[in-house]
Amino acid sequence: MGSRRTFLQGAAAATALGFGARYSLAAPATHDRRFVLVLLRGALDGLAAVPSYGDPHYAQLRGSIAIAPPGAPRGALRLDNTFGLHPALTFLHESYIAKELLVIHAAATPYRERSHFDGQDVLETGLTVAHAAQSGWLNRALAALPRDTAQKEVAVALGQTVPLVLRGPSAVASWSPSTLPGIDDDTLQRIADRYARDPVLGHRLADALATDAIAMAAMSDTGVAAGDSEDAANASGTVGHDSAAARGARPGGRALAGVAAYRETVRAAAAFLRRPAGPSVAVFDTLGWDTHFNEGGADGQLSARLSVLDSALRLFRQSMAESWSRTAVLLVTEFGRTAAVNGTRGTDHGTGAAAFLLGGAVQGGRMLADWPGLSADALFQGRDLKATLDLRLVTKSVLHDHLRIDSRALDDAVFPGTGNRYLSGLIRA
């Protein structure tokens, strides 16, 4: 396994990079395509989520947290002769078989240090060094996104703060689950009446109430009442609209507190995205992936988190209904983790990582990995999976082929420094 191998399988799969624009901003009917970005903050262990069980060095490096090969009790869910998925990722495995999941490995941003703060900054700005911009790549992409003229905002952030990736000159909506008791309808009406003639507050309050109504409708759409203790505790949310104005401190995100919060978030995301004139883009983030201690293997701390994420993605797919066929979901993390298990049965900050591209619009059922191997001389700085794919090219190609964003904008403004390079065949024609 010392030589590098390319895994990009299936018809029309090619590792060659495509060049040049194939789309004009005048192209019709692109507003029905939906894109979701999920930020896995804390550095997901890619060698746990996507174990390279066929690499001869894998089991020894991973030690007590190694995932057994397919066929063994609690073994990996087979993708091919080298890679599998963590046994907790059953929905993702079903999606891979259904050719709706592309698994990406040995990928990273240009960042090569090991600070969460700086790594997330590079991940979200799309640049090569930390703190080089105040805007995120996705916000810059929104300016070039073809849109339905009925859309107010083309993106929504789901969480307590608008993440850096969505900050910038393009206005976006925001919604977050509230930990406070809900306000009764009578009180809301009194507030709305009081500020109805205010040229600023009246408009913003009306937009906020409309946004919250969409999110709350997600509960009734799936037959779950807002007070349902299983899935929708504290379902009333706080809403807002974000623009180029000052937005506060750099967000660290917040941990989604268990299955209920995950389910509430993905239901709300689906409710926004299903609307014909609703947002085309949604973003949410999760914490809890920084597994320095007692990470576990097929079972344990990381397995439980992967299971919750997998279940939430299954629910999102169900909630999107027929819109799923026009949806792509990209799950990314700031960097990977060390190849070897550490002395506290966990892993430390690394480099090469795994990512996932999921959805009905995805040309899936394949691995995308120029695999460098896990031998001692193949590891980056002797400790990490070496990154052989720039994660920005994956993102850039999805924006181009799925959301039909003009290549000139992508090359010059969204991901400057990447040239006119694209990966072909990630999205269904």
Side-chain angles (χ1 to χ4, degrees):
M1 196 69 185
S3 61
R4 291 167 65 174
R5 299 170 56 190
T6 298
F7 302 86
L8 184 50
Q9 302 149 352
T15 56
L17 298 175
F19 295 91
R22 289 171 289 176
Y23 174 74
S24 149
L25 287 178
T30 59
H31 63 274
D32 62 341
R33 295 170 180 261
R34 300 298 187 245
F35 174 67
V36 181
L37 179 68
V38 182
L39 299 168
L40 306 174
R41 299 191 187 276
L44 170 68
D45 184 355
L47 288 172
V50 189
S52 55
Y53 69 89
D55 188 302
H57 304 281
Y58 170 79
Q60 181 179 1
L61 281 169
R62 304 303 290 187
S64 62
I65 65 169
I67 306 297
R74 295 290 289 160
L77 304 173
R78 186 183 186 279
L79 300 176
D80 60 25
N81 291 332
T82 301
F83 298 103
L85 288 175
H86 190 285
L89 297 175
T90 56
F91 170 67
L92 288 187
H93 190 243
E94 293 167 14
S95 300
Y96 185 89
I97 294 171
K99 301 188 184 306
E100 293 186 346
L101 174 68
L102 182 68
V103 180
I104 302 153
H105 219 331
T109 70
Y111 182 71
R112 291 294 179 270
E113 302 300 327
R114 296 179 174 87
S115 160
H116 289 303
F117 187 83
D118 291 349
Q120 290 173 22
D121 188 276
V122 173
L123 178 68
E124 296 183 69
T125 63
L127 303 182
T128 58
V129 295
H131 315 300
Q134 299 299 312
S135 63
W137 59 260
L138 188 49
N139 188 282
R140 298 193 299 270
L142 296 179
L145 179 68
R147 67 184 67 187
D148 186 332
T149 56
Q151 288 176 305
K152 285 189 175 181
E153 288 89 9
V154 295
V156 58
L158 297 109
Q160 296 293 338
T161 57
V162 175
L164 176 59
V165 71
L166 264 183
R167 296 182 184 182
S170 298
V172 301
S174 63
W175 179 88
S176 66
S178 176
T179 57
L180 300 176
I183 301 175
D184 63 83
D185 291 342
D186 182 65
T187 301
L188 282 174
Q189 186 60 55
R190 289 173 183 271
I191 294 172
D193 290 344
R194 181 180 182 86
Y195 292 101
R197 292 188 177 137
D198 189 290
V200 177
L201 294 179
H203 173 73
R204 290 176 65 84
L205 179 59
D207 280 351
L209 292 174
T211 301
D212 201 44
I214 295 169
M216 292 299 292
M219 304 302 163
S220 59
D221 285 348
T222 52
V224 178
D228 193 310
S229 60
E230 178 184 1
D231 295 318
N234 299 317
S236 62
T238 58
V239 290
H241 291 76
D242 203 80
S243 66
R247 296 177 179 89
R250 166 77 168 87
R254 75 179 183 96
L256 293 178
V259 176
Y262 267 107
R263 291 170 72 87
E264 182 181 353
T265 297
V266 299
R267 276 200 181 103
F272 284 115
L273 296 175
R274 285 197 313 264
R275 292 171 60 86
S280 300
V281 174
V283 177
F284 68 91
D285 58 6
T286 70
L287 292 176
W289 306 105
D290 196 14
T291 49
H292 288 283
F293 309 97
N294 298 321
E295 178 177 318
D299 298 291
Q301 174 191 172
L302 180 59
S303 177
R305 289 174 179 145
L306 289 173
S307 180
V308 171
L309 176 64
D310 189 75
S311 296
L313 293 171
R314 183 188 296 276
L315 177 61
F316 179 71
R317 188 254 181 273
Q318 295 168 346
S319 300
M320 287 297 288
E322 65 275 5
S323 298
W324 179 252
S325 65
R326 303 183 299 277
T327 299
V329 182
L330 180 63
L331 296 95
V332 294
T333 194
E334 64 262 35
F335 44 68
R337 307 195 72 81
T338 49
V341 64
N342 65 24
T344 54
R345 299 182 299 280
T347 51
D348 299 320
H349 301 172
T351 305
F356 304 94
L357 183 60
L358 168 72
V362 174
Q363 181 112 335
R366 300 174 292 137
M367 285 291 306
L368 175 57
D370 183 8
W371 188 244
L374 297 175
S375 64
D377 61 351
L379 295 178
F380 178 71
Q381 296 183 347
R383 54 175 279 171
D384 301 339
L385 173 64
K386 184 183 296 182
T388 56
L389 175 64
D390 189 338
L391 188 58
R392 295 176 302 167
L393 294 184
V394 176
T395 305
K396 182 181 176 183
S397 302
V398 172
L399 294 178
H400 183 271
D401 290 352
H402 182 56
L403 292 185
R404 300 294 197 254
I405 295 179
D406 181 48
S407 62
R408 291 165 297 179
L410 292 171
D411 297 344
D412 298 338
V414 181
F415 293 107
T418 58
N420 63 346
R421 297 178 295 158
Y422 292 84
L423 298 169
S424 62
L426 306 188
I427 299 296
R428 297 181 192 274

